[in-house]
Amino acid sequence: MKYGRIAAALSAALALPLTPHQPAHAEADLFFSYDRPATYGVRTERVSVPLRDGGHLACDLHRPDADGRFPVIVYDYNAYNQLEAQGRAAAYFVTRGYHAAVCNARGSGDSPGRLDPFSAQEQRDNYDLIEWLAAQPWSTGKIGQTGVSYGGHSSLLVAVNKPPHLAAIIPVDGISDWYENTIYRGGIYSARIRDWQRAVAPGTLVTYAQHPLYDDFWRERSVKARWKDLDIPVLEIAGWYDRYRAAMVENFQARPGNVWLVAGPWQHGWPSGQHADPGNGAYLAWWDRWLAGRRDAPLPAAKVTSYEIRGPGAGAGWKQFSTWPPPGARRHRLGLSADGTLTSAPGAPAALHFTVNTDPAAAAPDERLTFQTRPYQQDLVLAGDITAKVRASFTAADGNIAIVAEDVAPDGTAARITQGWLKASHRFGHDRAVPVRPGKTYDLELRTWPTHYRLSAGHRLRVTVSSDDHPEIDSDAPAGQVHLRVGRGGTELRLTTWKDPR
């Protein structure tokens, strides 16, 4: 199978070189404008990297055309057989004094074996690759790793395995937990991922379905389960329009001492070519600092550099914070009212209901409930997640809840801001399913993906509550109705908001 043809299913096929140009960067942060001239040409050779079990990885090694020892970057380690494109992307760093190893994961391209994405075997192979590169006579022994999506998660996973010579990583659109971030969102299988499974790793269509609960199979593939071991310098590059933004924020929040977060107005994939592309400077500064030992190479001016977005296009620009959510962020409560409003004074207690949608087609009007605020009189900045405390009962022995938040413009057009989901039987966690008793009211807490979003004056916040959000989750809830408690003491939202103190 030609994995390169289907890589777009997860990595958006954005493995092209970062284009040198004057970037749109965070104010005057020298980290983003850092650069130095190219010094070397590039020479390339195919190598076979031995593994501890007798197997090997097929790699293209791109090296400066000069004698001497240089640090090494493992560039976008994935299963997509994109060695040529990745080599072009890595050339910028090779010409500035780095070796770049571009390799096919076991079971892809010319690397023999069975592909099992993010498994313990794949992690051991990555560990062995790093240590082999460190031992070569042309290597300084300082190794870094980067990659987007599959390659981003590989970078994080190998870091928590702690190979002695891995000095720093740059995961782009990486993951904290393969189960929660991709496969079972809120405990509900994601229809979005199946095309990727069929094309890249069809065996997972069987194995993933055999593990609907969070068990050791998933812990093996999780960074979250080993956050304590994520202790090297990490530069996370995330997109506020990306489906893995929650994971990147979680990684930062778990390890704020050694993780820096840059979150831009980007879709899934490398920022290259997207609005506010930071260019090459930040990547080079990071490698120069941690691999080459250049003390003049700056770190980011703040632990969090975030682009405040608005609507489906460009937003209000870059902001820098010491942490996330930003200092001074506040929790703002809104209740769901029986009249369909979203307000801080939700009125008398009441019950509304919607019919469960068992079809992947868009929900019909009776299969969702919608609530919205009055037009805001001034801008509202969301800087974090929206937590929904849902009070609901089900006519079946289980059910799904999907929360979708949207920005509604004065002309009625809407743009999705964020979303969150939960299978009711997973209300105590994903490691066990606790049956639902039909007719009993449950308190369910859902966290949406975080965002940094400016809701403009004159716009409304709209929230939809339903049982499905295809293709983000399967429409697999049993048929029936969901009864939602609203008004005082009923379902409410907690927004994380921020106001510039200046």
Side-chain angles (χ1 to χ4, degrees):
M1 177 175 289
K2 299 296 185 182
Y3 293 102
R5 295 177 183 173
I6 44 74
L10 191 62
S11 71
L14 291 173
L16 298 178
L18 299 171
T19 53
H21 66 288
Q22 185 63 33
H25 53 81
E27 305 299 335
D29 191 339
L30 297 177
F31 181 71
F32 295 92
S33 58
Y34 179 83
D35 199 7
R36 54 185 177 82
T39 306
Y40 306 100
V42 180
R43 60 188 181 191
T44 300
E45 61 179 311
R46 171 60 64 93
V47 297
S48 179
V49 175
L51 303 171
R52 69 184 74 176
D53 67 351
H56 71 270
L57 298 179
C59 301
D60 282 351
L61 185 63
H62 306 274
R63 297 174 56 192
D65 62 349
D67 294 331
R69 300 165 69 222
F70 299 94
V72 189
I73 301 168
V74 177
Y75 200 92
D76 213 354
Y77 182 73
N78 63 42
Y80 299 143
N81 195 22
Q82 297 173 319
L83 300 195
E84 185 176 342
Q86 292 164 1
R88 291 196 303 269
Y92 174 88
F93 305 102
V94 179
T95 62
R96 286 158 177 81
Y98 291 92
H99 302 299
V102 180
C103 305
N104 288 320
R106 181 186 295 245
S108 69
D110 291 332
S111 296
R114 183 179 70 88
L115 177 64
D116 187 3
F118 312 126
S119 63
Q121 178 65 68
E122 190 170 277
Q123 295 172 50
R124 286 192 295 270
D125 293 348
N126 199 347
Y127 182 112
D128 291 351
L129 168 64
I130 287 167
E131 292 306 297
W132 182 86
L133 291 166
Q136 301 312 301
W138 34 259
S139 169
T140 63
K142 289 282 190 177
I143 315 297
Q145 184 159 324
T146 188
V148 62
S149 193
Y150 197 124
H153 195 39
S154 296
S155 300
L156 287 157
L157 281 173
V158 77
V160 298
N161 280 275
K162 301 173 74 71
H165 292 90
L166 182 64
I169 60 172
I170 306 179
V172 181
D173 294 343
I175 304 171
S176 64
D177 191 274
W178 188 229
Y179 176 98
E180 294 180 0
N181 302 147
T182 303
I183 309 302
Y184 287 97
R185 293 173 167 176
I188 310 164
Y189 208 102
S190 171
R192 177 183 289 277
I193 198 62
R194 283 198 179 89
D195 286 344
W196 177 87
Q197 290 180 265
R198 292 185 188 99
V200 177
T204 64
L205 290 166
V206 176
T207 56
Y208 291 0
Q210 292 171 339
H211 296 272
L213 298 177
Y214 193 76
D215 56 16
D216 288 342
F217 177 88
W218 299 109
R219 291 184 189 93
E220 176 182 293
R221 293 157 173 78
S222 173
V223 176
K224 183 176 182 177
R226 289 172 282 174
W227 270 333
K228 64 181 178 60
D229 294 321
L230 186 64
D231 56 6
I232 61 172
V234 179
L235 176 65
E236 291 195 315
I237 308 294
W240 286 127
Y241 295 118
D242 178 53
R243 56 187 173 271
Y244 293 142
R245 62 186 188 261
M248 298 295 266
V249 169
E250 287 174 351
N251 290 333
F252 168 77
Q253 291 173 332
R255 301 293 304 182
N258 61 288
V259 176
W260 284 254
L261 175 65
V262 177
W266 306 314
Q267 302 282 348
H268 191 67
W270 291 104
S272 178
Q274 301 191 57
H275 180 76
D277 166 20
N280 292 310
Y283 302 84
L284 182 63
W286 190 257
W287 298 136
D288 277 3
R289 177 85 174 201
W290 300 113
L291 303 188
R294 297 177 66 117
R295 305 318 295 176
D296 60 327
L299 291 172
K303 291 308 296 272
V304 177
T305 302
S306 175
Y307 195 102
E308 181 187 286
I309 60 175
R310 179 171 49 193
W318 291 107
K319 309 285 183 183
Q320 292 192 306
F321 307 108
S322 60
T323 189
W324 189 264
R330 307 178 78 175
R331 295 294 266 177
H332 177 54
R333 295 190 178 206
L334 294 174
L336 280 57
S337 295
D339 63 359
T341 58
L342 195 56
T343 174
S344 56
L352 303 175
H353 72 272
F354 59 87
T355 301
V356 172
N357 180 13
T358 57
D359 191 319
D366 69 329
E367 294 172 337
R368 61 180 182 269
L369 294 172
T370 300
F371 307 85
Q372 64 180 357
T373 64
R374 293 185 175 90
Y376 281 97
Q377 298 302 303
Q378 57 185 359
D379 290 3
L380 177 74
V381 176
L382 301 173
D385 61 18
I386 297 174
T387 302
K389 187 196 78 174
V390 177
R391 301 206 74 205
S393 63
F394 305 83
T395 60
D398 205 349
N400 297 342
I401 295 289
I403 300 286
V404 176
E406 296 175 297
D407 174 356
V408 182
D411 64 2
T413 58
R416 181 178 289 220
I417 302 172
T418 187
Q419 58 280 309
W421 320 273
L422 181 66
K423 184 175 287 295
S425 60
H426 287 226
R427 61 194 179 276
F428 297 115
H430 302 307
D431 57 347
R432 59 189 175 124
V434 180
V436 167
R437 192 169 76 196
K440 181 179 178 180
T441 298
Y442 293 94
D443 289 325
L444 309 172
E445 186 163 294
L446 286 74
R447 290 184 62 192
T448 67
W449 292 350
T451 189
H452 189 189
Y453 190 98
R454 180 176 291 268
L455 200 71
S456 299
H459 289 225
R460 301 171 186 258
L461 177 66
R462 182 167 72 195
V463 169
T464 300
V465 185
S466 65
S467 65
D468 77 312
D469 188 17
H470 190 85
E472 301 297 343
I473 57 172
D474 278 349
S475 304
D476 67 355
Q481 291 184 335
V482 178
H483 294 260
L484 193 70
R485 302 307 193 263
V486 298
R488 288 189 302 273
T491 301
E492 68 176 26
L493 304 179
R494 282 161 277 178
L495 281 58
T496 307
T497 64
W498 180 81
K499 187 174 182 179
D500 195 327
R502 292 175 295 180

